[in-house]
Amino acid sequence: MRQWSLQGKKSGKSIALVPTMGYFHEGHLSLMRMARAIADSVAVSIFVNPTQFAPNEDLDKYPKDIKRDIGLAASIGIDCIFLPDNDAMYEKGFQTWVQVEELSQGLCGKSRPHHFRGVATVVLKLFNIIMPDIAVFGQKDYQQLKIIERMVKDLNLPVKIVPHPIVREPDGLAMSSRNSYLSPQERKSALCLINSLKIAQKSFNEGIVHPDTIRAKMRHEILANKNAKIDYIFIGDADTLKETDTIGDGTLIALAVWIGTTRLIDNIII
Ligand code: AMP
């Protein structure tokens, strides 16, 4: 992998990286197209990182179709796919972690306490291995994006982080590899995430600025589905990820909802 990157750098090419866990959908492909447009060479990593999953989570059943992924990446002109195995990424005796402290605590960090430590660590490893000039991250995983941006600043990493907007299905559901877990009934219920966010935006447009009032409306919309359970609804500052007393332009509304046994996330910025 290093050899490929060094070769590219020697000939003056800029390198963009799109880190993924594979099982590509249009969201991934859209990030890749963006990377393609802003760099000379594009590398995509596919690695289902075990250290960001808790023991009770879906590591073992995470969907996989490497052959299809490679075909899709090739079809949009990706130059290189990095496909390491667990032993290569985590050698025996591994014990060094990156912890982006405050930003990792709220939102998804509450119910997934070691998740972002695993994410930050593996992303730093990927940066060190691939040495990209640019890395593209989706805003769907908004907290992850903010944590990576912070890590890059705090550790002086020579990588430009480029955010990409959320890519949605025609009916508004945010695309996710985990959508493949949903039964047809659950797929319908899953619309409660985007619908509750739309209600939040509409309420704000009508003059409601109190987070509790908006949260109550969102909760009502979500819990109309018997198979839905709310993990969290966050309303607050889009940079610090701290809750705020009032909603304004630029406020982040982010949520995680269980639909049956599948945990989905989504967000908007007001
Ligand atoms: P994943 O394979 O789910 O870890 O995602 C790899 C990258 O794609 C991350 O930067 C995600 O934020 C991004 N991504 C996944 N789904 C979407 C989506 N629907 N819209 C935009 N970016 C996405």
Side-chain angles (χ1 to χ4, degrees), residues 238-252:
D239 289 318
T240 62
L241 304 187
K242 298 255 195 289
E243 294 199 335
T244 48
D245 297 337
T246 178
I247 298 176
D249 275 337
T251 296
L252 170 71

Side-chain angles (χ1 to χ4, degrees), residues 18-31 45 47 52 62 136-142 144-145 162 164-169 173-179 265:
V18 182
T20 81
M21 299 207 297
Y23 208 66
F24 294 156
H25 49 68
E26 191 50 40
H28 295 115
L29 302 184
S30 190
L31 267 63
S45 60
F47 181 58
Q52 68 190 65
Y62 198 83
V136 182
F137 287 86
Q139 280 174 337
K140 202 207 122 204
D141 301 271
Y142 188 86
Q144 166 175 286
L145 169 67
V162 176
H164 187 290
I166 300 177
V167 180
R168 299 181 178 281
E169 300 286 355
L173 179 67
M175 289 192 180
S176 164
S177 306
R178 289 191 169 99
N179 292 349
I265 57 172

Side-chain angles (χ1 to χ4, degrees), residues 46-167:
I46 302 178
F47 181 58
V48 183
N49 174 35
T51 66
Q52 68 190 65
F53 288 79
N56 59 332
E57 292 180 346
D58 58 342
L59 174 63
D60 294 333
K61 67 165 189 168
Y62 198 83
K64 231 185 185 79
D65 191 343
I66 296 295
K67 237 178 152 175
R68 178 173 164 275
D69 285 353
I70 291 173
L72 287 169
S75 75
I76 49 176
I78 297 313
D79 302 284
C80 170
I81 295 186
F82 181 53
L83 198 66
D85 60 26
N86 285 348
D87 293 344
M89 289 298 273
Y90 296 103
E91 279 183 35
K92 202 161 166 274
F94 185 91
Q95 55 188 287
T96 306
W97 300 100
V98 182
Q99 186 94 44
V100 180
E101 299 201 344
E102 278 176 39
L103 290 173
S104 299
Q105 279 167 16
L107 294 89
C108 292
K110 271 198 186 135
S111 56
R112 307 186 77 189
H114 296 297
H115 173 66
F116 290 114
R117 180 185 82 157
V119 169
T121 302
V122 82
V123 170
L124 178 59
K125 283 168 70 67
L126 291 168
F127 286 179
N128 283 333
I129 295 165
I130 302 168
M131 303 181 290
D133 302 285
I134 297 167
V136 182
F137 287 86
Q139 280 174 337
K140 202 207 122 204
D141 301 271
Y142 188 86
Q143 188 176 14
Q144 166 175 286
L145 169 67
K146 289 289 135 183
I147 285 170
I148 299 301
E149 285 175 347
R150 190 72 245 173
M151 175 182 78
V152 163
K153 268 198 198 126
D154 289 354
L155 300 182
N156 309 88
L157 304 179
V159 184
K160 183 177 180 215
I161 302 302
V162 176
H164 187 290
I166 300 177
V167 180

